[in-house]
Amino acid sequence: MWPQAVAIGLVIAGGVASLVMSVGSFRSLDETRAAYYERYQFADVFANMPRAPRSVLDEIAAIPGVAMADGRIAKLALLDISNVAEPASGLFISLPAQGEPDLNRLYMKEGRLPDPLSDSEVVVSGGFAQAHGFAPGDTFSAILNGKRRELVIAGTALSPEFIYAIGPGDRMPDNWRFAVVWMPERALASAYGLSGAISSVSVTLLRDASEAQVIDRLDAVLDRYGGSAAYGRKDQTSHAFLEHGLDMLRNMSTTIPPIFLLVTAFLVNLVLSRLISLEREQIGLLKALGYRNSAIAGHYLKFVLVIAAAGIIVGSVAGTWLGVIVTRLFGTFYQFPFLVFAKNPDLYALGAILSLVAAGLGASRAIRTAVVLPPAVAMQAAAPPRFRRFLEFLPSPPRFTAQPGLMMMVRGLWQRPLRTAMTAFGIALATAVLIVSLFTGNAIEQLVDVTYFMADRQDATIGFVAKQPANAVLQVARFPGVLAAEAVREVSIRIRHGSVERRVMLSGRGRNADLSRIIDTNLRPVILPESGLAISSYLAGVLGARVGDSVEVDLLEGDRRTVVLPIAALVEDYFGIRAMMDADALARLLREAPSVNAVNVSLDQSRVAQLYAVVKGTPAVAGVALKETALANFRSTLAVTITTMAAIYTNLAAIIAVGIVYNSARISLSERARELASLRVLGFTRWETIRILLLELTFLTLIAQPPGWLMGYGLAWVMKTRLAGELMRVPMIMQNLTYVIASAIILLAAALSALIVARRVNWLDLVAVLKTRD
Amino acid sequence: MAPPVFAAKDLTKTYASGDVEVRALRGVNFEVGAGEVVVLLGPSGSGKSTFLNIVGGIDTATSGDLRFKDIDLTKLRERDLTRYRRESVGFVFQFYNLVPSLTALENVALVTEISTNPMRPQDALAMIGLENRMHHFPAELSGGEQQRVAIARAIAKRPEVLLCDEPTGALDSKTGVLVIEALLKVSAELSTTTLIITHNATIQDVADRVFFFADGNISRIQRNATRRRAADLVW
Ligand SMILES: Nc1ncnc2c1ncn2[C@@H]1O[C@H](COP(=O)(O)OP(=O)(O)OP(=O)(O)O)[C@@H](O)[C@H]1O
Ligand SMILES: [Mg+2]
């Protein structure tokens, strides 16, 4: 019973560990975020405009539902850091002349706030400082409104607004190339000629205020200042990404641990039923001697409890350890003042209770059979099963009678259809769990492949501070090292279908754009339709719209009209949701001359240094997004997190597999020990005996594979669906190799279990068997 | 005289369980000739089963010599003992030891599949008069019928020796007679050397010779001038 107990204990430990890890790290992140938002006054609604008088804040504060309004200047600018070739960008945010900002306050990591009267002192974001090894007193340059300035770092800080800080055009945080720079209002205003003015508004809401209404009123107030539509936390980059990360964690924690608990119940039932039927006679004897049912049930419950307790302890320790790893991983790309894995006692209690319930459920049925047996019946050996003829209506197949070993297996399985089905189901489940875990890891590679090598093939995207006339792309094409350049015009829109509305970017691009291509849902590059929108297929799902449907689009720039456009194509993409259309059509829609916000370029890698130098001297450029660094960033942050989780789950799945397969093999050995010993006496060699024993395991393992693949695909689909969000998705591409690897692992587990069990065939006591009755 | 099928010299078997030594066999000497029917009698614990198990190659002696024709069984390795059992020995036990998931026919086929010169399983069952019950499972047969299936299984490979440990022990007397009858019939037809352990002294009349066991040794050997037919036995 020892190895079986260990196998059950391990599965329980796996369940507890996955629960503690996923729920624990979810909670750590969630609670830390809530506390941080609260203490540092993270705003609820945000709006930007080129310029508005500071007095507009009074008007905004008077909007019903607004608790507090804060205004500031926010400008994107290029940074020039000595010894750093590639151009970095900084988001410059003004600090009030006195004290701290009312909203989106700073957590000072090092140093102090800048002197309000200084022209050069700034506070920079902690991640950026860390990436460059900057400390208070260090300097770097920035090109503010075309003019180069030396800046001195007075301090480093974190803000609830930039927990997840993404530079322009980037998908992942890159602390090397993106900084948030807080600068005294006086200095920033004078650089941009914005004295007495603001360009960004943040608002907190009263408890029961309607966000939508406040946004509408805010838009009305800011309309005269050319404000682009206000948005809530949902569309605030940092918050949205954090929310998505939390969603993924939450969904993982509700998908995987239940599978473990199910397997736990199943294994406990399997092993305990077997144990009880082996000990039937003792149970009968004990009862005849006057032991009460409760005492007998207690005995087996104690056995289960001890195993469960050991599993819970091991699982709690392992889960805490894994949780610390996962939380630390999150800490590498979420910038929190503090983020530690919260060891909440109630979580461990929950893990323990759920495991006990699962084990108890598994045990209850088995124990009941022990308890209900009248002592006299229990003391006799169980009646030999009445075997049915296999498929009686068929003539007995001659090949079967010639293979008594095969016949024994078929009848054994046939005899106990429930157990056969359960065991096969268990093995299939293990295969399925392996497939999901492997799938999650693979999906990341698929995502990289489709995103960076099929769709966005540009080496870099050069973004402008404001829209430029169409010929800007020709200038960029003449930059050193630029081999090809394609213009992109981006405009914020609200897209609406029925009652569902989303705020997304609409990008206009050349129809034959070859660097940044459009990939359809069959993963083939397609040409942008001449008219109408191409939208992310996920967005189409959110909107409930199909190709051919018309959607309403609020243009949030220029004359801010609302237009109706048909959806002409669906795009398969995995980051964000977006809409695209032909650049000329977009220009007509916006009633403007063709313009560009960004240029996609392919580069001659040997001349990038010269390109960077030129870019740094071009004030119109706000930033350069580099594919290579984006990809490296993606791999080292989010991808690592997901693949780490996937690897953890793969290992846990392997434990399940061994647990189920080993237990099945072990049980069929103890059930058939007598029969096998008889075979040995009759002159069967060890190998022949082992073959008969393992035939069943082999058969069960093999027939479990196809349903395992199906279930694996299903679970992967569930996983994919549950992990999908508007910010990121994983593709549902299942490689055949995944099935092969999963099955290979299961077969290996089966072979190892078989090996261990087969060795026991050598120890069969032939003489002892002959002395006892069936 | 033809060379004996079995010849043992100073055969001993000692069980060491804990610090207690049980000397189950204390230097047994005997010879058994080809085609002979031998009945083993003796009080419980006198070493009969131990003796038969060693002769049948499912247990090993602690010391002494045991020859099967010109093979020294005490020197055989596990693998060769298996081959010896497979090719030369048929067993019948008190508790039948049939495989419950196989029909009578299949239980016999189990053995014929792995032997070199077997009869057809159907023929083996016919010899013991069970040709009508071939497709029944053990649970569908009476104890006596099950024991006859076990006999068919034991003789289907045409073994040179047939070893029976209390074959009638679990049966009533009438059924016991039938079983012994079947046993002797086939062993005669195949001229199999047959050793039968029993607690039923009347069965000794069917034997060529009777070995009386006591305290781990053969205390006396009795030769019957004439063998009675099983049907004439009275319990
Ligand atoms: N595995 C064992 N360990 C220790 N002692 C054993 C073992 N098997 C048998 N013995 C002892 O060896 C002796 C001979 O046992 P054996 O089974 O040969 O007796 P038997 O003559 O067949 O008795 P019965 O007629 O009751 O079957 C007995 O004293 C028994 O207790
Ligand atoms: Mg005995």
Side-chain angles (χ1 to χ4, degrees), chain B residues 40-119:
Chain B
L40 283 65
L41 282 173
S44 185
S46 55
K48 305 181 294 294
S49 296
T50 307
F51 168 79
L52 200 77
N53 290 342
I54 293 172
V55 169
I58 51 178
D59 205 350
T60 48
T62 309
S63 70
D65 243 19
L66 175 61
R67 299 195 143 267
F68 168 68
K69 300 200 290 196
D70 41 9
I71 307 165
D72 189 347
L73 292 181
T74 54
K75 300 245 159 34
L76 291 189
R77 284 169 306 152
E78 162 59 31
R79 178 137 48 94
D80 298 316
L81 273 180
T82 302
R83 214 178 73 212
Y84 160 65
R85 291 200 298 270
R86 183 182 185 125
E87 288 174 358
S88 313
V89 188
F91 284 104
V92 178
F93 301 102
Q94 181 177 2
F95 301 117
Y96 330 134
N97 289 70
L98 298 175
V99 176
S101 59
L102 296 180
T103 61
L105 185 69
E106 289 159 351
N107 262 290
V108 180
L110 197 60
V111 169
T112 57
E113 279 306 308
I114 59 165
S115 38
T116 43
N117 178 30
M119 352 176 168

Side-chain angles (χ1 to χ4, degrees), chain A residues 67-88:
Chain A
M68 230 195 292
D70 196 11
R72 61 202 186 171
I73 300 168
K75 289 286 173 186
L76 211 49
L78 271 185
L79 305 181
D80 189 1
I81 306 157
S82 49
N83 300 328
V84 177
E86 59 265 57

Side-chain angles (χ1 to χ4, degrees), chain A residues 724-761:
Chain A
E726 294 177 12
L727 288 170
M728 200 188 131
R729 299 166 288 281
V730 290
M732 185 65 223
I733 300 171
M734 187 70 86
Q735 292 170 317
N736 288 337
L737 193 63
T738 304
Y739 298 117
V740 175
I741 293 175
S743 290
I745 293 176
I746 297 290
L747 294 180
L748 195 73
L752 279 178
S753 312
L755 219 68
I756 300 172
V757 171
R759 284 189 35 221
R760 297 189 158 247
V761 167

